[in-house]
Amino acid sequence: DTGVSQDPRHKITKRGQNVTFRCDPISEHNRLYWYRQTLGQGPEFLTYFQNEAQLEKSRLLSDRFSAERPKGSFSTLEIQRTEQGDSAMYLCASSLGPRQETQYFGPGTRLLVL
Amino acid sequence: KQEVTQIPAALSVPEGENLVLNCSFTDSAIYNLQWFRQDPGKGLTSLLLIQSSQREQTSGRLNASLDKSSGRSTLYIAASQPGDSATYLCAVRRGGNTPLVFGKGTRLSVIA
């Protein structure tokens, strides 16, 4: 257990539905990252927060995806109008900040879109 | 665009054997490199982080080396055990604030 938690751990939804995932980072970690991992691939970067500011978004993050980190604590990732291609493991990671850059990953949320 | 390649994609070894996993990256201008372990259906566990100015890092039976100029890193596992069976991922970042770029991983099986 790295101290990063994600909820839910598994989500099955029908195409076209909206889903929301939550990530609770290690307390005092000011950086939070979202990644997506499909079977047999390494994780791919989606977006990154420093405190409450969203500093970078990948081109993978279409306009159906939105992420927030209110108050710089937990973060949510919402996918609207889900598609079968959204099926993947969604991973959250946090790090403390400058010179403490090891990223600690949560257990992930596995999404299956039917 | 940075690309990370890990060879081999899968490896099966008998218990007790020493082994080396390879990672290569196309852009040598990296800030640091991190090795992770991932068990099936689980998140990632950080094993070792090497800063660009470092040549190697060690933790227990694990030793990671970095040759930045040639764009290569190796993860050496000594005296492998069945509990080492997992997928090992290599990732690099170009700056202190930037996200990780991952390889596809090497799936390791250690046979008792």
Side-chain angles (χ1 to χ4, degrees):
Chain A
D1 183 1
T2 63
V4 179
S5 61
Q6 292 187 245
D7 184 70
R9 296 290 306 277
H10 304 274
K11 179 71 176 180
I12 300 174
T13 191
K14 293 182 180 179
R15 189 176 53 182
Q17 298 294 305
N18 299 343
V19 295
T20 300
F21 309 142
R22 176 178 170 128
C23 171
D24 286 88
I26 296 171
S27 60
E28 298 172 357
H29 278 197
N30 58 35
R31 296 180 180 179
L32 187 147
Y33 301 82
W34 285 98
Y35 295 84
R36 181 173 71 184
Q37 185 178 27
T38 53
L39 203 60
Q41 304 295 314
E44 296 174 291
F45 168 72
L46 292 178
T47 190
Y48 151 58
F49 291 86
Q50 177 146 328
N51 298 312
E52 66 275 10
Q54 188 173 17
L55 296 187
E56 189 173 344
K57 293 194 288 186
S58 160
R59 278 171 284 188
L60 291 176
L61 211 67
S62 75
D63 57 6
R64 296 184 298 104
F65 287 71
S66 63
E68 295 181 341
R69 192 182 182 198
K71 302 179 183 178
S73 56
F74 70 91
S75 176
T76 58
L77 178 68
E78 180 182 16
I79 309 174
Q80 296 182 328
R81 305 181 303 281
T82 53
E83 301 173 355
Q84 288 184 323
D86 298 330
S87 296
M89 173 81 91
Y90 290 83
L91 294 161
C92 173
S94 69
S95 66
L96 184 58
R99 291 177 291 281
Q100 298 287 340
E101 292 144 355
T102 299
Q103 292 189 20
Y104 297 89
F105 280 76
T109 294
R110 183 170 294 282
L111 173 66
L112 178 61
V113 182
L114 301 176
Chain B
K1 179 188 172 186
Q2 178 72 272
E3 292 184 3
V4 180
T5 302
Q6 292 189 244
I7 294 173
L11 180 64
S12 183
V13 300
E15 180 178 6
E17 194 162 294
N18 302 328
L19 59 100
V20 174
L21 307 180
N22 296 292
C23 170
S24 62
F25 43 95
T26 55
D27 184 352
S28 62
I30 64 167
Y31 185 74
N32 61 33
L33 181 146
Q34 201 165 349
W35 282 94
F36 293 89
R37 168 189 172 135
Q38 186 174 32
D39 293 289
K42 302 289 180 64
L44 281 65
T45 300
S46 178
L47 298 174
L48 291 164
L49 183 148
I50 310 177
Q51 299 292 355
S52 62
S53 58
Q54 297 175 322
R55 297 284 294 180
E56 65 178 334
Q57 283 285 337
T58 298
S59 175
R61 294 183 294 108
L62 305 179
N63 176 275
S65 69
L66 174 63
D67 185 343
K68 185 180 162 185
S69 61
S70 67
R72 293 180 183 176
S73 176
T74 61
L75 179 67
Y76 174 82
I77 302 177
S80 58
Q81 303 170 357
D84 295 329
S85 298
T87 296
Y88 290 80
L89 293 152
C90 164
V92 299
R93 55 196 313 189
R94 68 177 186 275
N97 290 338
T98 60
L100 293 164
V101 178
F102 284 85
K104 294 183 179 181
T106 293
R107 190 172 66 254
L108 173 66
S109 297
V110 181
I111 311 301

